[in-house]
Short mmCIF file of all heavy atoms in Angstrom, two decimals:
data_model
loop_
_atom_site.label_atom_id
_atom_site.label_comp_id
_atom_site.label_asym_id
_atom_site.label_seq_id
_atom_site.Cartn_x
_atom_site.Cartn_y
_atom_site.Cartn_z
N GLN F 1 0.82 -1.19 0.00
CA GLN F 1 0.00 0.00 0.02
C GLN F 1 0.86 1.25 0.00
O GLN F 1 0.54 2.21 -0.70
CB GLN F 1 -0.89 -0.02 1.22
CG GLN F 1 -1.99 -1.07 1.16
CD GLN F 1 -2.78 -1.15 2.44
OE1 GLN F 1 -2.31 -0.69 3.50
NE2 GLN F 1 -3.99 -1.67 2.37
N VAL F 2 1.96 1.23 0.76
CA VAL F 2 2.85 2.40 0.84
C VAL F 2 3.48 2.63 -0.56
O VAL F 2 3.54 3.75 -1.02
CB VAL F 2 3.91 2.21 1.96
CG1 VAL F 2 4.93 3.31 1.86
CG2 VAL F 2 3.24 2.16 3.31
N PHE F 3 3.98 1.52 -1.15
CA PHE F 3 4.59 1.65 -2.48
C PHE F 3 3.63 2.26 -3.46
O PHE F 3 3.98 3.16 -4.19
CB PHE F 3 5.07 0.30 -2.92
CG PHE F 3 5.78 0.32 -4.23
CD1 PHE F 3 7.06 0.80 -4.32
CD2 PHE F 3 5.13 -0.13 -5.39
CE1 PHE F 3 7.72 0.87 -5.56
CE2 PHE F 3 5.79 -0.06 -6.62
CZ PHE F 3 7.11 0.41 -6.72
N GLN F 4 2.39 1.77 -3.47
CA GLN F 4 1.40 2.27 -4.42
C GLN F 4 1.09 3.75 -4.15
O GLN F 4 1.01 4.53 -5.08
CB GLN F 4 0.13 1.45 -4.37
CG GLN F 4 -0.89 1.82 -5.40
CD GLN F 4 -0.42 1.60 -6.81
OE1 GLN F 4 0.20 0.60 -7.09
NE2 GLN F 4 -0.66 2.56 -7.68
N LEU F 5 0.89 4.10 -2.88
CA LEU F 5 0.60 5.52 -2.53
C LEU F 5 1.73 6.42 -2.98
O LEU F 5 1.46 7.46 -3.57
CB LEU F 5 0.40 5.59 -0.99
CG LEU F 5 0.22 6.98 -0.48
CD1 LEU F 5 -1.12 7.56 -0.94
CD2 LEU F 5 0.31 7.01 1.04
N LEU F 6 2.96 6.06 -2.65
CA LEU F 6 4.09 6.94 -3.01
C LEU F 6 4.29 7.02 -4.53
O LEU F 6 4.55 8.10 -5.07
CB LEU F 6 5.40 6.40 -2.37
CG LEU F 6 5.46 6.60 -0.86
CD1 LEU F 6 6.74 5.99 -0.32
CD2 LEU F 6 5.31 8.01 -0.44
N THR F 7 4.03 5.94 -5.24
CA THR F 7 4.09 5.98 -6.66
C THR F 7 3.06 6.88 -7.27
O THR F 7 3.32 7.70 -8.18
CB THR F 7 3.94 4.52 -7.23
OG1 THR F 7 4.92 3.68 -6.66
CG2 THR F 7 4.12 4.50 -8.73
N ASP F 8 1.86 6.83 -6.73
CA ASP F 8 0.74 7.69 -7.17
C ASP F 8 1.11 9.15 -6.85
O ASP F 8 0.85 10.02 -7.75
CB ASP F 8 -0.56 7.33 -6.51
CG ASP F 8 -1.11 5.96 -7.02
OD1 ASP F 8 -0.60 5.46 -8.03
OD2 ASP F 8 -2.00 5.43 -6.33
N LEU F 9 1.56 9.45 -5.69
CA LEU F 9 1.92 10.84 -5.32
C LEU F 9 3.02 11.37 -6.25
O LEU F 9 2.98 12.53 -6.66
CB LEU F 9 2.37 10.92 -3.88
CG LEU F 9 1.28 10.79 -2.82
CD1 LEU F 9 1.88 10.74 -1.42
CD2 LEU F 9 0.35 12.00 -2.91
N LYS F 10 4.00 10.55 -6.54
CA LYS F 10 5.08 10.95 -7.42
C LYS F 10 4.55 11.32 -8.81
O LYS F 10 4.94 12.30 -9.42
CB LYS F 10 6.12 9.80 -7.51
CG LYS F 10 7.33 10.15 -8.33
CD LYS F 10 8.28 8.95 -8.34
CE LYS F 10 9.44 9.18 -9.28
NZ LYS F 10 10.33 8.03 -9.32
N GLN F 11 3.65 10.49 -9.30
CA GLN F 11 3.03 10.70 -10.60
C GLN F 11 2.24 11.99 -10.60
O GLN F 11 2.31 12.82 -11.57
CB GLN F 11 2.17 9.53 -11.05
CG GLN F 11 1.60 9.65 -12.43
CD GLN F 11 2.72 9.65 -13.45
OE1 GLN F 11 3.76 9.03 -13.34
NE2 GLN F 11 2.48 10.36 -14.53
N GLN F 12 1.49 12.23 -9.55
CA GLN F 12 0.66 13.48 -9.46
C GLN F 12 1.56 14.70 -9.45
O GLN F 12 1.26 15.73 -10.08
CB GLN F 12 -0.17 13.48 -8.19
CG GLN F 12 -1.33 12.54 -8.22
CD GLN F 12 -2.10 12.47 -6.91
OE1 GLN F 12 -1.71 13.15 -5.96
NE2 GLN F 12 -3.15 11.69 -6.90
N ARG F 13 2.68 14.66 -8.74
CA ARG F 13 3.62 15.79 -8.67
C ARG F 13 4.25 16.03 -10.05
O ARG F 13 4.47 17.13 -10.42
CB ARG F 13 4.69 15.50 -7.64
CG ARG F 13 4.19 15.60 -6.21
CD ARG F 13 5.27 15.20 -5.25
NE ARG F 13 4.68 15.04 -3.93
CZ ARG F 13 4.81 15.93 -2.98
NH1 ARG F 13 5.55 16.96 -3.14
NH2 ARG F 13 4.25 15.71 -1.77
N LYS F 14 4.53 14.94 -10.76
CA LYS F 14 5.09 15.07 -12.08
C LYS F 14 4.10 15.81 -13.04
O LYS F 14 4.44 16.65 -13.80
CB LYS F 14 5.42 13.70 -12.65
CG LYS F 14 6.83 13.47 -12.98
CD LYS F 14 7.04 12.16 -13.65
CE LYS F 14 8.18 11.43 -13.06
NZ LYS F 14 8.50 10.18 -13.70
N GLU F 15 2.83 15.42 -12.90
CA GLU F 15 1.79 15.95 -13.79
C GLU F 15 1.49 17.37 -13.47
O GLU F 15 1.13 18.18 -14.35
CB GLU F 15 0.54 15.10 -13.72
CG GLU F 15 0.69 13.72 -14.33
CD GLU F 15 -0.48 12.84 -14.08
OE1 GLU F 15 -1.42 13.24 -13.40
OE2 GLU F 15 -0.44 11.68 -14.59
N SER F 16 1.57 17.78 -12.20
CA SER F 16 1.24 19.13 -11.79
C SER F 16 2.33 20.11 -12.23
O SER F 16 2.09 21.28 -12.46
CB SER F 16 1.05 19.24 -10.28
OG SER F 16 2.23 19.08 -9.58
N GLY F 17 3.56 19.67 -12.29
CA GLY F 17 4.66 20.44 -12.81
C GLY F 17 5.06 21.65 -11.95
O GLY F 17 5.56 22.63 -12.41
N ARG F 18 4.87 21.51 -10.65
CA ARG F 18 5.28 22.61 -9.72
C ARG F 18 6.81 22.70 -9.65
O ARG F 18 7.48 21.70 -9.46
CB ARG F 18 4.75 22.35 -8.29
CG ARG F 18 3.25 22.48 -8.20
CD ARG F 18 2.86 22.37 -6.79
NE ARG F 18 1.41 22.28 -6.67
CZ ARG F 18 0.75 22.05 -5.54
NH1 ARG F 18 1.46 21.83 -4.45
NH2 ARG F 18 -0.55 22.00 -5.52
N ASN F 19 7.29 23.90 -9.73
CA ASN F 19 8.76 24.08 -9.67
C ASN F 19 9.17 24.69 -8.31
O ASN F 19 10.25 24.40 -7.85
CB ASN F 19 9.22 24.94 -10.85
CG ASN F 19 9.14 24.21 -12.16
OD1 ASN F 19 9.19 23.01 -12.18
ND2 ASN F 19 9.03 24.94 -13.24
N LYS F 20 8.35 25.54 -7.75
CA LYS F 20 8.68 26.17 -6.49
C LYS F 20 8.38 25.20 -5.37
O LYS F 20 7.30 24.67 -5.28
CB LYS F 20 7.85 27.46 -6.27
CG LYS F 20 8.32 28.63 -7.06
CD LYS F 20 7.57 29.86 -6.51
CE LYS F 20 8.16 31.12 -7.15
NZ LYS F 20 7.48 32.30 -6.66
N GLN F 21 9.42 25.00 -4.54
CA GLN F 21 9.27 24.09 -3.39
C GLN F 21 9.89 24.67 -2.19
O GLN F 21 11.05 25.18 -2.24
CB GLN F 21 9.86 22.75 -3.71
CG GLN F 21 9.20 22.02 -4.85
CD GLN F 21 9.83 20.69 -5.15
OE1 GLN F 21 10.93 20.38 -4.63
NE2 GLN F 21 9.21 19.92 -6.03
N SER F 22 9.23 24.59 -1.06
CA SER F 22 9.79 25.05 0.19
C SER F 22 10.78 24.00 0.67
O SER F 22 10.86 22.91 0.17
CB SER F 22 8.69 25.26 1.27
OG SER F 22 8.12 24.01 1.55
N SER F 23 11.54 24.36 1.73
CA SER F 23 12.53 23.39 2.26
C SER F 23 11.78 22.17 2.85
O SER F 23 12.30 21.05 2.75
CB SER F 23 13.40 24.03 3.32
OG SER F 23 12.65 24.49 4.44
N GLY F 24 10.63 22.40 3.44
CA GLY F 24 9.83 21.28 3.96
C GLY F 24 9.41 20.34 2.84
O GLY F 24 9.43 19.14 2.99
N GLN F 25 9.03 20.91 1.72
CA GLN F 25 8.61 20.13 0.56
C GLN F 25 9.79 19.35 -0.01
O GLN F 25 9.63 18.22 -0.43
CB GLN F 25 8.01 21.04 -0.53
CG GLN F 25 7.38 20.29 -1.67
CD GLN F 25 6.22 19.47 -1.25
OE1 GLN F 25 5.39 19.87 -0.44
NE2 GLN F 25 6.14 18.25 -1.74
N GLN F 26 10.94 19.98 -0.03
CA GLN F 26 12.15 19.29 -0.49
C GLN F 26 12.50 18.10 0.43
O GLN F 26 12.89 17.04 -0.03
CB GLN F 26 13.32 20.25 -0.60
CG GLN F 26 13.16 21.24 -1.72
CD GLN F 26 14.25 22.32 -1.68
OE1 GLN F 26 15.02 22.42 -0.73
NE2 GLN F 26 14.32 23.12 -2.76
N ASN F 27 12.32 18.31 1.73
CA ASN F 27 12.57 17.22 2.68
C ASN F 27 11.59 16.05 2.40
O ASN F 27 12.00 14.89 2.46
CB ASN F 27 12.47 17.67 4.13
CG ASN F 27 13.60 18.65 4.49
OD1 ASN F 27 14.62 18.66 3.88
ND2 ASN F 27 13.37 19.43 5.52
N LEU F 28 10.33 16.40 2.19
CA LEU F 28 9.34 15.38 1.93
C LEU F 28 9.68 14.64 0.63
O LEU F 28 9.55 13.40 0.56
CB LEU F 28 7.94 15.99 1.81
CG LEU F 28 6.79 15.05 1.51
CD1 LEU F 28 6.66 14.00 2.62
CD2 LEU F 28 5.51 15.83 1.39
N ASN F 29 10.10 15.35 -0.35
CA ASN F 29 10.48 14.69 -1.66
C ASN F 29 11.63 13.73 -1.43
O ASN F 29 11.68 12.63 -1.98
CB ASN F 29 10.87 15.73 -2.67
CG ASN F 29 9.66 16.48 -3.22
OD1 ASN F 29 8.55 16.05 -3.04
ND2 ASN F 29 9.93 17.64 -3.79
N THR F 30 12.56 14.11 -0.58
CA THR F 30 13.77 13.24 -0.30
C THR F 30 13.28 11.99 0.42
O THR F 30 13.70 10.87 0.10
CB THR F 30 14.77 14.02 0.57
OG1 THR F 30 15.23 15.13 -0.14
CG2 THR F 30 15.95 13.09 0.90
N ILE F 31 12.41 12.14 1.42
CA ILE F 31 11.87 10.97 2.13
C ILE F 31 11.11 10.07 1.22
O ILE F 31 11.28 8.84 1.24
CB ILE F 31 10.99 11.45 3.31
CG1 ILE F 31 11.85 12.15 4.35
CG2 ILE F 31 10.22 10.26 3.91
CD1 ILE F 31 11.04 12.86 5.44
N MET F 32 10.28 10.64 0.34
CA MET F 32 9.53 9.83 -0.63
C MET F 32 10.47 9.05 -1.54
O MET F 32 10.31 7.92 -1.81
CB MET F 32 8.57 10.73 -1.44
CG MET F 32 7.38 11.17 -0.67
SD MET F 32 6.34 12.29 -1.59
CE MET F 32 6.02 11.45 -3.10
N TYR F 33 11.51 9.74 -2.03
CA TYR F 33 12.46 9.13 -2.93
C TYR F 33 13.20 7.96 -2.26
O TYR F 33 13.33 6.90 -2.80
CB TYR F 33 13.47 10.16 -3.47
CG TYR F 33 14.63 9.58 -4.16
CD1 TYR F 33 14.46 9.14 -5.52
CD2 TYR F 33 15.87 9.42 -3.57
CE1 TYR F 33 15.52 8.58 -6.17
CE2 TYR F 33 16.93 8.85 -4.24
CZ TYR F 33 16.74 8.43 -5.55
OH TYR F 33 17.81 7.83 -6.19
N GLU F 34 13.70 8.24 -1.07
CA GLU F 34 14.45 7.17 -0.36
C GLU F 34 13.57 5.98 0.00
O GLU F 34 14.01 4.86 -0.10
CB GLU F 34 15.08 7.74 0.93
CG GLU F 34 16.18 8.74 0.68
CD GLU F 34 17.41 8.15 0.00
OE1 GLU F 34 17.66 6.94 0.12
OE2 GLU F 34 18.12 8.92 -0.70
N THR F 35 12.32 6.27 0.37
CA THR F 35 11.39 5.16 0.70
C THR F 35 11.07 4.33 -0.56
O THR F 35 11.08 3.11 -0.52
CB THR F 35 10.11 5.71 1.35
OG1 THR F 35 10.43 6.51 2.46
CG2 THR F 35 9.14 4.63 1.75
N LEU F 36 10.76 4.99 -1.65
CA LEU F 36 10.52 4.28 -2.93
C LEU F 36 11.70 3.48 -3.34
O LEU F 36 11.57 2.33 -3.84
CB LEU F 36 10.10 5.24 -4.02
CG LEU F 36 8.62 5.63 -4.08
CD1 LEU F 36 8.44 6.76 -5.10
CD2 LEU F 36 7.79 4.45 -4.47
N LYS F 37 12.89 4.07 -3.19
CA LYS F 37 14.11 3.32 -3.59
C LYS F 37 14.27 2.07 -2.76
O LYS F 37 14.57 1.00 -3.32
CB LYS F 37 15.33 4.27 -3.39
CG LYS F 37 16.64 3.73 -3.98
CD LYS F 37 17.69 4.79 -4.00
CE LYS F 37 18.52 4.65 -2.75
NZ LYS F 37 19.69 5.55 -2.75
N TYR F 38 14.02 2.15 -1.45
CA TYR F 38 14.18 1.00 -0.59
C TYR F 38 13.11 -0.06 -0.88
O TYR F 38 13.43 -1.21 -1.07
CB TYR F 38 14.05 1.45 0.87
CG TYR F 38 14.03 0.25 1.83
CD1 TYR F 38 15.21 -0.41 2.17
CD2 TYR F 38 12.83 -0.19 2.35
CE1 TYR F 38 15.20 -1.47 3.01
CE2 TYR F 38 12.80 -1.26 3.22
CZ TYR F 38 13.96 -1.94 3.50
OH TYR F 38 13.96 -3.00 4.36
N ILE F 39 11.85 0.38 -0.99
CA ILE F 39 10.76 -0.53 -1.26
C ILE F 39 10.93 -1.26 -2.60
O ILE F 39 10.56 -2.42 -2.75
CB ILE F 39 9.39 0.12 -1.14
CG1 ILE F 39 9.15 0.56 0.33
CG2 ILE F 39 8.28 -0.73 -1.63
CD1 ILE F 39 7.87 1.32 0.55
N SER F 40 11.46 -0.56 -3.57
CA SER F 40 11.65 -1.11 -4.91
C SER F 40 12.58 -2.31 -4.90
O SER F 40 12.52 -3.15 -5.78
CB SER F 40 12.19 -0.08 -5.88
OG SER F 40 11.22 0.95 -6.06
N LYS F 41 13.44 -2.43 -3.87
CA LYS F 41 14.39 -3.49 -3.76
C LYS F 41 13.87 -4.66 -2.99
O LYS F 41 14.53 -5.69 -2.83
CB LYS F 41 15.68 -3.01 -3.11
CG LYS F 41 16.39 -1.98 -3.90
CD LYS F 41 17.60 -1.47 -3.19
CE LYS F 41 18.26 -0.33 -3.96
NZ LYS F 41 19.39 0.28 -3.23
N THR F 42 12.63 -4.61 -2.48
CA THR F 42 12.04 -5.69 -1.67
C THR F 42 10.92 -6.37 -2.45
O THR F 42 10.38 -5.80 -3.38
CB THR F 42 11.50 -5.10 -0.36
OG1 THR F 42 10.40 -4.26 -0.63
CG2 THR F 42 12.54 -4.37 0.43
N PRO F 43 10.59 -7.57 -2.02
CA PRO F 43 9.51 -8.31 -2.70
C PRO F 43 8.16 -7.63 -2.65
O PRO F 43 7.28 -7.90 -3.45
CB PRO F 43 9.47 -9.67 -2.02
CG PRO F 43 10.79 -9.82 -1.35
CD PRO F 43 11.23 -8.40 -1.04
N CYS F 44 7.93 -6.74 -1.65
CA CYS F 44 6.64 -6.12 -1.51
C CYS F 44 6.31 -5.26 -2.71
O CYS F 44 5.12 -4.91 -2.90
CB CYS F 44 6.53 -5.33 -0.20
SG CYS F 44 7.48 -3.85 -0.14
N ARG F 45 7.27 -4.94 -3.51
CA ARG F 45 7.01 -4.23 -4.72
C ARG F 45 5.98 -4.91 -5.62
O ARG F 45 5.23 -4.32 -6.36
CB ARG F 45 8.33 -3.95 -5.47
CG ARG F 45 8.15 -3.25 -6.78
CD ARG F 45 9.40 -3.11 -7.52
NE ARG F 45 9.14 -2.31 -8.71
CZ ARG F 45 10.10 -1.90 -9.52
NH1 ARG F 45 11.32 -2.18 -9.33
NH2 ARG F 45 9.75 -1.14 -10.56
N TYR F 46 6.02 -6.25 -5.57
CA TYR F 46 5.21 -7.04 -6.47
C TYR F 46 3.87 -7.45 -5.80
O TYR F 46 3.05 -8.13 -6.43
CB TYR F 46 5.98 -8.29 -6.92
CG TYR F 46 7.28 -7.92 -7.53
CD1 TYR F 46 8.45 -8.10 -6.84
CD2 TYR F 46 7.33 -7.35 -8.79
CE1 TYR F 46 9.67 -7.77 -7.44
CE2 TYR F 46 8.52 -6.99 -9.40
CZ TYR F 46 9.69 -7.20 -8.68
OH TYR F 46 10.90 -6.86 -9.23
N GLN F 47 3.64 -7.04 -4.54
CA GLN F 47 2.38 -7.39 -3.90
C GLN F 47 1.30 -6.44 -4.24
O GLN F 47 1.51 -5.26 -4.52
CB GLN F 47 2.59 -7.42 -2.39
CG GLN F 47 3.50 -8.52 -1.94
CD GLN F 47 3.72 -8.46 -0.42
OE1 GLN F 47 3.46 -7.47 0.25
NE2 GLN F 47 4.23 -9.55 0.13
N SER F 48 0.10 -6.93 -4.27
CA SER F 48 -1.10 -6.14 -4.47
C SER F 48 -2.10 -6.46 -3.39
O SER F 48 -1.94 -7.50 -2.70
CB SER F 48 -1.69 -6.43 -5.84
OG SER F 48 -2.22 -7.72 -5.84
N PRO F 49 -3.09 -5.64 -3.21
CA PRO F 49 -4.11 -5.96 -2.17
C PRO F 49 -4.72 -7.31 -2.42
O PRO F 49 -5.05 -8.04 -1.47
CB PRO F 49 -5.12 -4.82 -2.35
CG PRO F 49 -4.36 -3.71 -2.88
CD PRO F 49 -3.33 -4.29 -3.81
N GLU F 50 -4.89 -7.71 -3.66
CA GLU F 50 -5.48 -9.00 -3.98
C GLU F 50 -4.59 -10.15 -3.55
O GLU F 50 -5.08 -11.13 -2.97
CB GLU F 50 -5.74 -9.13 -5.50
CG GLU F 50 -6.83 -8.19 -6.03
CD GLU F 50 -6.26 -6.79 -6.27
OE1 GLU F 50 -5.08 -6.60 -6.47
OE2 GLU F 50 -7.11 -5.86 -6.23
N THR F 51 -3.27 -10.05 -3.77
CA THR F 51 -2.37 -11.14 -3.34
C THR F 51 -2.29 -11.25 -1.83
O THR F 51 -2.23 -12.36 -1.27
CB THR F 51 -0.97 -10.99 -3.93
OG1 THR F 51 -0.41 -9.72 -3.50
CG2 THR F 51 -0.95 -11.06 -5.42
N VAL F 52 -2.33 -10.15 -1.14
CA VAL F 52 -2.32 -10.16 0.31
C VAL F 52 -3.58 -10.80 0.84
O VAL F 52 -3.60 -11.65 1.72
CB VAL F 52 -2.09 -8.73 0.89
CG1 VAL F 52 -2.28 -8.74 2.41
CG2 VAL F 52 -0.77 -8.21 0.51
N ARG F 53 -4.75 -10.45 0.27
CA ARG F 53 -6.04 -10.98 0.67
C ARG F 53 -6.06 -12.50 0.39
O ARG F 53 -6.44 -13.27 1.27
CB ARG F 53 -7.16 -10.25 -0.06
CG ARG F 53 -8.54 -10.76 0.43
CD ARG F 53 -9.71 -10.02 -0.23
NE ARG F 53 -9.61 -10.09 -1.71
CZ ARG F 53 -9.39 -9.02 -2.52
NH1 ARG F 53 -9.17 -7.82 -1.97
NH2 ARG F 53 -9.31 -9.18 -3.84
N ASP F 54 -5.57 -12.92 -0.75
CA ASP F 54 -5.56 -14.35 -1.08
C ASP F 54 -4.67 -15.09 -0.14
O ASP F 54 -5.02 -16.21 0.30
CB ASP F 54 -5.05 -14.55 -2.52
CG ASP F 54 -6.02 -14.06 -3.57
OD1 ASP F 54 -7.19 -13.80 -3.23
OD2 ASP F 54 -5.59 -13.85 -4.74
N PHE F 55 -3.52 -14.54 0.26
CA PHE F 55 -2.64 -15.18 1.23
C PHE F 55 -3.32 -15.31 2.56
O PHE F 55 -3.28 -16.39 3.18
CB PHE F 55 -1.33 -14.37 1.35
CG PHE F 55 -0.49 -14.84 2.48
CD1 PHE F 55 0.27 -16.04 2.35
CD2 PHE F 55 -0.46 -14.15 3.69
CE1 PHE F 55 1.07 -16.46 3.41
CE2 PHE F 55 0.33 -14.59 4.72
CZ PHE F 55 1.10 -15.78 4.58
N LEU F 56 -3.98 -14.24 3.00
CA LEU F 56 -4.65 -14.31 4.34
C LEU F 56 -5.77 -15.33 4.34
O LEU F 56 -5.95 -16.08 5.32
CB LEU F 56 -5.18 -12.94 4.70
CG LEU F 56 -4.11 -11.90 5.03
CD1 LEU F 56 -4.75 -10.53 5.29
CD2 LEU F 56 -3.29 -12.31 6.23
N MET F 57 -6.49 -15.44 3.28
CA MET F 57 -7.56 -16.42 3.14
C MET F 57 -6.99 -17.85 3.14
O MET F 57 -7.57 -18.73 3.77
CB MET F 57 -8.43 -16.20 1.90
CG MET F 57 -9.21 -14.88 1.92
SD MET F 57 -10.32 -14.73 3.32
CE MET F 57 -11.57 -15.91 2.87
N ALA F 58 -5.90 -18.07 2.47
CA ALA F 58 -5.24 -19.36 2.42
C ALA F 58 -4.72 -19.77 3.80
O ALA F 58 -4.77 -20.92 4.18
CB ALA F 58 -4.08 -19.38 1.43
N MET F 59 -4.25 -18.80 4.62
CA MET F 59 -3.68 -19.08 5.92
C MET F 59 -4.76 -19.17 7.01
O MET F 59 -4.50 -19.72 8.07
CB MET F 59 -2.67 -18.01 6.28
CG MET F 59 -1.50 -17.92 5.37
SD MET F 59 -0.62 -19.48 5.11
CE MET F 59 0.07 -19.76 6.70
N LYS F 60 -5.95 -18.73 6.73
CA LYS F 60 -7.02 -18.70 7.72
C LYS F 60 -7.29 -20.09 8.27
O LYS F 60 -7.56 -20.28 9.45
CB LYS F 60 -8.27 -18.07 7.07
CG LYS F 60 -9.33 -17.73 8.07
CD LYS F 60 -10.44 -17.00 7.34
CE LYS F 60 -11.42 -16.39 8.33
NZ LYS F 60 -12.48 -15.68 7.68
N GLY F 61 -7.27 -21.08 7.41
CA GLY F 61 -7.56 -22.44 7.84
C GLY F 61 -6.55 -23.05 8.77
O GLY F 61 -6.80 -24.09 9.45
N HIS F 62 -5.36 -22.48 8.90
CA HIS F 62 -4.32 -22.98 9.75
C HIS F 62 -4.43 -22.51 11.17
O HIS F 62 -3.65 -22.97 12.05
CB HIS F 62 -2.92 -22.61 9.16
CG HIS F 62 -2.70 -23.27 7.86
ND1 HIS F 62 -2.39 -24.57 7.67
CD2 HIS F 62 -2.73 -22.72 6.58
CE1 HIS F 62 -2.21 -24.84 6.39
NE2 HIS F 62 -2.42 -23.71 5.71
N LYS F 63 -5.30 -21.62 11.44
CA LYS F 63 -5.56 -21.04 12.80
C LYS F 63 -4.28 -20.67 13.52
O LYS F 63 -3.99 -21.05 14.66
CB LYS F 63 -6.32 -22.11 13.61
CG LYS F 63 -7.69 -22.39 13.01
CD LYS F 63 -8.46 -23.34 13.82
CE LYS F 63 -9.78 -23.52 13.06
NZ LYS F 63 -10.63 -24.50 13.56
N LEU F 64 -3.49 -19.87 12.86
CA LEU F 64 -2.25 -19.36 13.42
C LEU F 64 -2.54 -18.28 14.46
O LEU F 64 -3.52 -17.59 14.36
CB LEU F 64 -1.33 -18.78 12.29
CG LEU F 64 -0.90 -19.76 11.25
CD1 LEU F 64 -0.16 -19.01 10.17
CD2 LEU F 64 -0.06 -20.81 11.85
N THR F 65 -1.68 -18.18 15.42
CA THR F 65 -1.85 -17.10 16.44
C THR F 65 -0.66 -16.15 16.33
O THR F 65 0.36 -16.44 15.66
CB THR F 65 -1.86 -17.69 17.84
OG1 THR F 65 -0.62 -18.36 18.14
CG2 THR F 65 -3.02 -18.67 18.02
N LYS F 66 -0.84 -15.00 16.96
CA LYS F 66 0.25 -13.99 16.90
C LYS F 66 1.45 -14.54 17.60
O LYS F 66 2.54 -14.30 17.24
CB LYS F 66 -0.22 -12.72 17.57
CG LYS F 66 -1.22 -12.00 16.79
CD LYS F 66 -1.64 -10.70 17.46
CE LYS F 66 -2.70 -9.99 16.65
NZ LYS F 66 -3.15 -8.76 17.28
#
């Protein structure tokens, strides 16, 4: 979900074409960039809400506890 959200936000910012950015905005952009870079290297990049839901349904029958 985080990967999808950040990817969508990045696309929206590209489309809006804003050039003026405050220092807070630049910090946020850096955090978004670093987070996307990290997540892109993990398997969660390929997960979708459907695959997570399917996994949870498959595991439900095993009655696992925390």
